[in-house]
Amino acid sequence: MVTARDVAKRAGVSQATVSYVMSGSRPISEATKKRVRKAMDELGYVPNINARSLAGGKVGVIGVLVHMDEDTDLAELRPFLVVIMEEARKRGSSVMLVPADEGIEGLCRMVRQGVVDGVLVFDVEWHDERLPEIARLDIPVVLVGTPENAHGLPCVDVDYRRVAQMAVNRLAERGAQRMVLVGDWGRSLDRYAFAKFFASESRVVAQVLGMEYEIFIPREKGWRGIWAMKDELKRMAQCHGGIAVRTPHVLDSLLQLCVEMQIQPGRDFSLVAVYVDGHDEELRVPVDNVDPVPQSAAKAAMGLLFDRIDGHKTGERLLVSPHITIRS
């Protein structure tokens, strides 16, 4: 069985250095870290998590509490997860996905078993009943999202008020005097901060700019939900209005409706959507987008979490700034 001593011999370092690289308890140069990790990969070395935990060291695993089901928009979630795994790997750690449907009990069990060094919590609701108990856990936790009351837990989020400002201002630049905000199907605008802030700020900016403002929430997901917007879409084309869409999967359905009705975004009405740069390659037509930079938010969240794991007290809230790309 391959041991840490074997790794140390292959990498040309001491056994203590191998332990420091795995635990992160002491600063080690990047060149040394690379040599140690390369030796671990070549030898197929797998650290004994239980032994490291009992010894008081780090286990090298980050827990990610996230809700994933058939309604999850992977175009929104995937960039977060990719960066989280990359940042964990740089620190010699792995990532363990914890299904949110296991509830707070699953998270508490994982913490009691000592199988993770820290936890990122996704899908944070504005009124999140989980947070008081999560805040009592004896483990570093960072929230990816904004609740009304964080109970002392640090938060990282995208500045969705700024997202809204960029989207509405873009529609105004295109000459729209009337706009419709299309939300996610079947989801209340008050459940999550990003939807709440996007809706409230877009309304305020539209009023300041003298634009008529409406909200459309599809009652059903997919084609049947967006089909109910056909009359509104026709009216927007007649007055060359503007439409702002908050999620990629709703945008895809809206573009399909445009094809069916022979209405062309950019020519017949202005359109701006919130999606990550790169998703434009999957779209039927170019659509201006505000990128909520999930990669930056994930990197900031991981940095904050590792700071907490290393015992450093850091800021309580970080807001990441989005950017807009003109494509139409």
Side-chain angles (χ1 to χ4, degrees), residues 66-328:
V66 62
H67 182 82
M68 294 185 70
D69 59 19
E70 65 277 4
D71 293 328
T72 301
D73 192 341
L74 293 179
E76 287 189 293
L77 181 60
R78 188 185 300 111
F80 280 104
L81 297 182
V82 169
V83 172
I84 287 170
M85 289 186 286
E86 288 176 349
E87 292 300 307
R89 188 163 52 248
K90 290 178 183 177
R91 304 285 191 118
S93 296
S94 302
V95 174
M96 178 187 295
L97 294 182
V98 184
D101 55 10
E102 290 188 12
I104 188 66
E105 295 81 9
L107 179 59
C108 291
R109 182 174 62 255
M110 185 174 62
V111 172
R112 285 196 305 270
Q113 293 172 346
V115 297
V116 293
D117 297 320
V119 180
L120 291 182
V121 178
F122 278 79
D123 307 299
V124 178
E125 298 184 9
W126 183 244
H127 302 292
D128 203 313
E129 298 178 353
R130 306 170 298 171
L131 299 189
E133 194 164 354
I134 290 177
R136 290 194 291 268
L137 295 176
D138 187 22
I139 193 171
V141 175
V142 172
L143 307 180
V144 183
T146 303
E148 184 179 33
N149 184 352
H151 296 272
L153 295 169
C155 308
V156 174
D157 205 355
V158 177
D159 188 348
Y160 258 88
R161 288 191 171 92
R162 184 63 181 144
V163 172
Q165 293 166 8
M166 289 179 170
V168 179
N169 276 305
R170 175 56 182 162
L171 296 179
E173 289 172 1
R174 295 294 305 274
Q177 297 297 314
R178 182 170 181 268
M179 72 161 288
V180 174
L181 167 64
V182 183
D184 202 2
W185 37 63
R187 180 177 290 179
S188 168
L189 293 176
D190 294 325
R191 184 175 178 182
Y192 296 99
F194 57 79
K196 180 183 181 70
F197 294 162
F198 187 71
S200 61
E201 188 69 14
S202 60
R203 181 186 294 275
V204 170
V205 176
Q207 290 175 343
V208 169
L209 296 175
M211 301 170 65
E212 295 181 33
Y213 178 90
E214 290 187 26
I215 294 177
F216 174 80
I217 305 295
R219 295 185 179 181
E220 300 178 72
K221 68 178 183 178
W223 176 249
R224 295 182 64 179
I226 208 70
W227 178 253
M229 193 183 170
K230 61 183 185 303
D231 293 335
E232 182 63 57
L233 182 60
K234 189 181 298 182
R235 285 193 292 270
M236 296 301 285
Q238 290 172 348
C239 70
H240 198 84
I243 295 179
V245 183
R246 206 207 60 77
T247 61
H249 55 188
V250 173
L251 172 63
D252 295 341
S253 295
L254 177 62
L255 293 179
Q256 183 180 354
L257 178 61
C258 290
V259 172
E260 293 291 331
M261 299 183 65
Q262 297 183 347
I263 293 175
Q264 183 176 326
R267 182 194 67 189
D268 301 321
F269 71 96
S270 299
L271 177 63
V272 63
V274 181
Y275 64 80
V276 177
D277 289 345
H279 183 67
D280 58 290
E281 297 176 1
E282 303 178 23
L283 301 179
R284 299 168 181 266
V285 295
V287 177
D288 297 342
N289 74 297
V290 181
D291 187 340
V293 290
Q295 298 93 335
S296 298
K299 188 171 184 177
M302 288 293 279
L304 195 57
L305 183 61
F306 276 115
D307 283 344
R308 297 271 168 153
I309 291 172
D310 293 338
H312 304 309
K313 188 70 173 179
T314 52
E316 294 298 321
R317 189 179 182 213
L318 292 175
L319 274 183
V320 179
S321 298
H323 68 258
I324 187 168
T325 301
I326 308 304
R327 303 182 189 277
S328 61

